Amino acid sequence: MEASSLPAALELVSGGGLGLSPEKRAVLSSSLLLLQRDYRFERVWFWGCIQGVRGAYYIAQGLGPDRAAPRSRLYSLNCVEWSLLPPVTKEMVTQAGQLKGRFQGDPSFEYEYTERNAEDAERLLEDGKEPMIKEEARVVATIEQIDKAVGIIPRGAFLKTPLGSVSENRNFEGLSLMEAKKLSSYFHFTEPVNLKNKTLLEKADLDPSIDFLDSLEHDIPQGSWTVQLDRGGAVVVLRSLLWLGLTFYHVPMTKQYGYVYFGTGEKNLDLPFML
């Protein structure tokens, strides 16, 4: 969610018991604006918080002119001092997928692999040391997984130019209440997968400048999203059951929308058995 509208946005998603203390909100509002100035980001989004055993990671994302380009990710342990996270790699995501259990809250904490592939076994023979992964790498890999799986935007909020860059749609005035209650009105803000598999006939009714992402209606497993109306129907709230703690809000007929994550950074692997 936008750093500039953080206090109001956090109020809109607080219905599920998520949020920050008034002190944390005040500190974050100031420090995120300083972060934007110091790193010269065009926009800064407050991504959320991953709660560890001994501390929490507060996450922010810095955006450039192309909103679909890889974002700079930063974390803070106290909402004041920020550290840049390394760029995510496929190896990080693969390694983090082998780890189970809670985060510790210490970026320098090192995990041992519970399972070793052939490459890890070969490295162990060469170096004589157990392969390790730092929690900092696990944090950035988890953020990447959550963004790809459940990072969403309303349809029409962004435009894709003929050159391929993505920017905010200045003409976007929000979804109607009827449209806001449909999963098909929300898109995954990541590289599309299902869209590439559609036939030309299925793409005929799509607007290439707006419908360039995958919608939520075909997410697997079915039923992994809940849609609710809060504040007397004035706010539409979507919550992910796959990554518990991810909450998206949109105020119909306005430009107010965003998502935030407050959780332990663990995927709900039991979801198929719960539906």
Side-chain angles (χ1 to χ4, degrees):
M1 52 179 59
E2 288 280 356
S4 57
S5 59
L6 185 62
L10 287 174
E11 280 293 330
L12 294 177
V13 298
S14 62
L18 306 175
L20 299 169
S21 65
E23 294 80 7
K24 282 281 193 298
R25 293 186 192 186
V27 172
L28 268 176
S29 297
S30 301
S31 68
L32 289 175
L33 294 177
L34 295 174
L35 181 69
Q36 182 175 356
R37 183 199 66 184
D38 294 343
Y39 283 86
R40 298 183 180 180
F41 294 133
E42 283 204 0
R43 292 284 180 87
V44 169
W45 287 354
F46 176 63
W47 183 87
C49 172
I50 296 177
Q51 186 67 48
V53 176
R54 297 194 295 267
Y57 296 98
Y58 299 93
I59 311 297
Q61 294 183 329
L63 288 77
D66 185 356
R67 298 296 190 257
R71 304 161 205 162
S72 298
R73 292 170 172 140
L74 305 97
Y75 74 90
S76 175
L77 301 177
N78 56 12
C79 297
V80 177
E81 299 170 338
W82 296 88
S83 301
L84 196 62
L85 285 164
V88 69
T89 63
K90 290 183 179 179
E91 184 183 10
M92 281 183 186
V93 176
T94 302
Q95 292 173 342
Q98 300 176 21
L99 303 176
K100 307 296 180 186
R102 294 282 302 277
F103 283 79
Q104 297 300 307
D106 178 6
S108 60
F109 182 82
E110 294 185 333
Y111 295 90
E112 293 183 10
Y113 293 134
T114 55
E115 301 176 6
R116 297 194 192 97
N117 55 29
E119 185 180 339
D120 294 331
E122 184 179 345
R123 194 182 307 163
L124 177 59
L125 289 173
E126 290 177 357
D127 302 339
K129 296 180 180 178
E130 288 281 350
M132 310 285 278
I133 178 173
K134 286 191 174 182
E135 185 158 276
E136 185 181 62
R138 186 188 179 191
V139 168
V140 72
T142 301
I143 296 170
E144 177 74 6
Q145 286 179 290
I146 294 174
D147 272 343
K148 280 193 171 183
V150 290
I152 61 176
I153 57 170
R155 179 181 183 272
F158 286 80
L159 289 175
K160 187 173 185 179
T161 68
L163 298 177
S165 62
V166 176
S167 60
E168 279 102 345
N169 182 3
R170 296 183 179 180
N171 295 321
F172 178 69
E173 295 296 337
L175 302 171
S176 67
L177 181 59
M178 186 66 69
E179 289 295 318
K181 292 188 288 185
K182 300 177 183 177
L183 287 180
S184 58
S185 299
Y186 301 96
F187 292 156
H188 289 282
F189 198 30
T190 186
E191 189 69 23
V193 177
N194 297 330
L195 186 65
K196 296 177 181 178
N197 299 326
K198 288 190 175 183
T199 64
L200 292 176
L201 187 60
E202 290 174 319
K203 292 180 180 179
D205 296 330
L206 301 182
D207 184 340
S209 64
I210 295 177
D211 301 308
F212 59 93
L213 300 169
D214 289 334
S215 72
L216 270 60
E217 61 179 333
H218 301 301
D219 278 13
I220 298 174
Q222 288 284 336
S224 60
W225 290 95
T226 66
V227 182
Q228 297 173 324
L229 297 179
D230 282 2
R231 300 179 182 269
V235 183
V236 178
V237 176
L238 278 70
R239 293 186 173 90
S240 172
L241 301 180
L242 186 62
W243 288 92
L244 297 172
L246 190 288
T247 305
F248 171 89
Y249 78 94
H250 176 48
V251 181
M253 305 305 294
T254 74
K255 296 183 178 182
Q256 298 180 59
Y257 66 88
Y259 68 86
V260 68
Y261 178 80
F262 288 101
T264 60
E266 296 173 287
K267 190 176 183 179
N268 182 16
L269 300 176
D270 296 327
L271 179 59
F273 305 101
M274 296 166 61
L275 296 174

